[in-house]
Amino acid sequence: MALNHSYDARLVQQETAVGAGVQILLLALIGTAIGMGPAGWLTGLAFAIATWAVLSRALHRSRLRSFGAANRVTLGRATLVGGVTALVADSFQDSPPVSLFVGLTAVALILDGVDGKVARRTGTSTPLGARFDMEVDAFLILVLSVYVSMAMGPWVLLIGGMRYVFVAAARVWPWLTAPLPPSTARKTVAALQGVLLLVAGAGLLPHVVNVGVVALALGLLLWSFGRDVLWLWRTSRVETVPVTHEVRELVAG
């Protein structure tokens, strides 16, 4: 049994290595097609190495025997996000082809709705898969906000940075780490962020319209985060009331 477990573990780790290899292949194809500069290459390679290292460590800790079809879809999406990241880094020197930028981003956004369905249909939903999916989503939004901010200003970075600010705040206020109830509105707002940023980043609409599109994305995100934070705060306050009441009764007794 130990031998089988070890063999399965190696197979799972091999999939992350294949993902890193595919990422490097995609970078080579992009570099050949557009003549990508050092910034794009270094950023893309850093993304590939970081993804491989973090995912390999997470798989080792979770002890999954099978990587799973859904995680393969998410890994493929992460590869596309790595390509988008390289293009955005390269855009500080030369503007990337809009068709390539839009194509890679659009496919990554479309696949966001695929991995979850695959996980549910195959019965392979795992906490690791959900976290992997969420981190890929968050990083793509961050990269898109960086790209759009070059044309509209640093205020756009609030969209990409909000989730990371929330995570940092949870280290100071642990009540922010409580599980949230399922919400269709939250999922819709999250999905719209990538779409609206892509629309603005494509540059096909007048600048004023693009500013309105991004402002709409930011407004929706502020509303969604604000609603969740308020719910978490109220829940934490309600949960502390019984404890305080019991303590007072013990003191009075």
Side-chain angles (χ1 to χ4, degrees), residues 16-248:
T16 63
V18 170
V22 173
Q23 177 73 84
I24 294 172
L25 176 60
L26 177 61
L27 292 175
L29 292 174
I30 294 174
T32 302
I34 69 171
M36 191 163 58
W41 273 105
L42 291 174
T43 304
L45 290 173
F47 179 88
I49 294 171
T51 301
W52 168 79
V54 173
L55 186 56
S56 295
R57 184 170 182 269
L59 286 168
H60 178 73
R61 294 178 64 180
S62 65
R63 299 184 180 277
L64 288 179
R65 288 179 173 270
S66 173
F67 194 64
N71 284 335
R72 293 188 186 100
V73 175
T74 307
L75 184 58
R77 191 156 57 85
T79 300
L80 296 174
V81 172
V84 175
T85 302
L87 288 175
V88 171
D90 194 59
S91 69
F92 283 91
Q93 297 176 338
D94 298 304
S95 298
V98 174
S99 58
L100 181 59
F101 171 77
V102 171
L104 290 177
T105 305
V107 175
L109 291 173
I110 292 170
L111 289 177
D112 184 27
V114 175
D115 46 11
K117 292 181 180 178
V118 171
R120 288 187 292 271
R121 289 182 179 180
T122 58
T124 56
S125 299
T126 63
L128 173 62
R131 180 66 182 273
F132 185 26
D133 176 61
M134 180 175 63
E135 295 298 340
V136 172
D137 290 343
F139 193 79
L140 177 58
I141 298 304
L142 176 62
V143 171
L144 291 177
S145 67
V146 170
Y147 182 74
V148 176
S149 71
M150 288 188 282
M152 296 187 187
W155 64 274
V156 183
L157 296 175
L158 291 171
I159 296 176
M162 199 172 302
R163 190 256 172 182
Y164 297 98
V165 171
F166 181 84
V167 171
R171 295 181 177 273
V172 180
W173 298 293
W175 51 268
L176 289 171
T177 61
L180 288 163
S183 171
T184 302
R186 185 189 308 117
K187 293 180 180 179
T188 302
V189 170
L192 282 174
Q193 298 305 304
V195 175
L196 295 176
L197 285 172
L198 177 58
V199 169
L204 301 177
L205 301 175
H207 181 74
V208 175
V209 177
N210 284 332
V211 171
V213 167
V214 178
L216 174 62
L218 179 58
L220 289 172
L221 195 61
L222 286 170
W223 170 79
S224 181
F225 268 95
R227 188 184 68 156
D228 286 343
V229 169
L230 182 60
W231 186 90
L232 290 169
W233 180 76
R234 287 176 173 173
T235 302
S236 68
R237 299 282 293 180
V238 170
E239 289 177 349
T240 58
V241 170
V243 176
T244 305
H245 181 67
E246 290 174 7
V247 171
R248 288 177 177 174

